[in-house]
Amino acid sequence: PYSVVDEMARVLRDGGKMVLSDFSTKGFELIKKIHESEGGTHREGKVGLKQIEEYLCDLGFVAQEYNTDLQKIFIFIRK
C-alpha cells in the first residue's frame, strides 16, 4: 500500500489534498455481519489509516482527521 500512497503523494502539488477513508471499528463490525450473512468474510488490510497517517506526516504532510460512527476520514495536505 505504501507504493500507492507514494504515487498519490508524488502527483500532488503544494497545497494539494489527498483524502483517504476506512471503516471505524463499528463500521468493520457491520461489514463483517453483512459479509457473514452472505456466506463470505471481510478481510482487513495489513496497513491501517494510522500507519498511513504516520508515514505521510513523516513526509511533511499535514493530517486532518474526521470521524463518523461508521468511518474514519483523513485529509492529508501537502505543505
Side-chain angles (χ1 to χ4, degrees):
Y2 290 106
S3 61
V4 173
V5 171
D6 285 336
E7 183 61 14
M8 289 189 289
R10 185 187 71 79
V11 300
L12 279 178
R13 291 185 247 179
D14 289 346
K17 297 177 182 178
M18 179 189 318
V19 179
L20 300 176
S21 178
D22 204 351
F23 295 110
S24 66
T25 301
K26 186 175 179 178
F28 272 117
E29 291 169 3
L30 176 62
I31 290 300
K32 181 181 176 186
K33 288 178 185 177
I34 291 169
H35 282 271
E36 286 174 351
S37 74
E38 297 170 342
T41 59
H42 181 79
R43 294 181 295 179
E44 294 184 37
K46 295 179 182 178
V47 178
L49 277 180
K50 281 296 182 186
Q51 289 88 358
I52 299 288
E53 176 190 21
E54 291 172 11
Y55 181 74
L56 286 171
C57 287
D58 286 346
L59 292 178
F61 281 77
V62 174
Q64 297 175 341
E65 182 177 356
Y66 302 90
N67 296 296
T68 69
D69 222 22
L70 300 176
Q71 75 182 126
K72 300 175 186 178
I73 303 162
F74 279 90
I75 299 174
F76 297 99
I77 304 167
R78 179 181 280 284
K79 291 182 184 176

